[in-house]
Amino acid sequence: MIEIRWHSRAGQGAVTGAKGLGDVVSTTGKEVQAFALYGSAKRGAAMRAYNRIDDEPIINHEKFMRPDYVLVIDPALAFTDNITENDKPETQYVITTHMSKEELIAQIPELQDKKDRVHVVDCMQISMDEIGRAIPNAPMLGAWVKVSGMFELDFFLDAMKRVLAKFPQKIIDGNMRAITRAYNEVK
């Protein structure tokens, strides 16, 4: 089973990102869960969203997980939230930041022994440039697609176009550019 934990603030699109990923995964014949845990559910409050992906039916509905991937879409949460909680020796981290990987790791002692598993990309700037709003979920999905290797980029883009079909073409196009750009820029 693949487990993904998203660290975000309410309003940044982590729940939508987790559900969008769930929609894409469900088209592949795999089983998937997408859910979130909210505190006060006020815009800006720290929150977490989750995905589970497996070939078999998923009967675990607990919030506890040992994530294979930790996606941090709010840059401040890398410093204030326990992003390494319950990690595994192979857990991969994708963190939104304007800093280089070396600068980020130097400031977060918990990541120093995980250097080869930390990936950085500026999802905030990408979403501002490509979508026009600081909703970094789409670029984070693009970065995750690259890091995980679970999907080919073209397949993922086509599937996400179906997920976003209810939106105007301008929003779909912006999200496709954001996903592609993050896929290409994640380090």
Side-chain angles (χ1 to χ4, degrees):
M1 179 178 322
I2 295 171
E3 295 183 312
I4 303 167
R5 184 174 67 219
W6 299 66
H7 293 257
S8 179
R9 295 197 184 277
Q12 291 181 318
V15 175
T16 303
K19 288 180 179 179
L21 177 58
D23 284 348
V24 171
V25 171
S26 70
T27 68
T28 68
K30 292 188 178 288
E31 299 292 321
V32 64
Q33 287 180 348
F35 60 99
L37 295 176
Y38 299 93
S40 62
K42 293 180 181 174
R43 188 171 192 75
M47 53 85 54
R48 293 180 182 184
Y50 303 87
N51 289 102
R52 287 191 176 100
I53 303 167
D54 203 355
D55 293 324
E56 302 297 322
I58 301 170
I59 58 174
N60 179 358
H61 295 282
E62 298 177 10
K63 72 172 185 169
F64 176 81
M65 66 170 46
R66 300 219 38 224
D68 297 283
Y69 300 93
V70 174
L71 311 180
V72 183
I73 69 173
D74 184 282
L77 292 176
F79 298 95
T80 61
D81 211 357
N82 184 3
I83 65 171
T84 62
E85 178 181 28
N86 299 319
D87 68 349
K88 301 178 191 180
E90 62 275 4
T91 298
Q92 299 284 318
Y93 298 86
V94 184
I95 302 172
T96 297
T97 183
H98 67 279
M99 292 187 265
S100 71
K101 178 176 165 176
E102 294 72 26
E103 291 170 323
L104 179 72
I105 290 172
Q107 294 185 36
I108 303 176
E110 297 82 8
L111 294 177
Q112 292 182 4
D113 65 338
K114 306 169 190 327
K115 292 177 184 175
D116 59 328
R117 298 182 284 123
V118 173
H119 309 274
V120 298
V121 62
D122 196 345
C123 293
M124 289 293 195
Q125 189 62 54
I126 291 170
S127 67
M128 288 298 295
D129 293 348
E130 304 300 340
I131 303 169
R133 296 178 58 200
I135 307 291
N137 58 352
M140 180 55 74
L141 285 169
W144 178 80
V145 167
K146 176 74 170 267
V147 170
S148 72
M150 183 173 278
F151 301 109
E152 293 293 326
L153 179 60
D154 289 339
F155 170 83
F156 191 78
L157 290 171
D158 287 343
M160 282 304 293
K161 285 177 188 172
R162 287 190 300 277
V163 170
L164 298 171
K166 66 182 178 185
F167 292 103
Q169 191 62 44
K170 177 182 174 183
I171 291 174
I172 296 170
D173 293 345
N175 277 275
M176 296 306 105
R177 289 191 308 272
I179 291 167
T180 302
R181 187 168 154 195
Y183 179 93
N184 291 323
E185 291 182 16
V186 67
K187 295 176 176 84

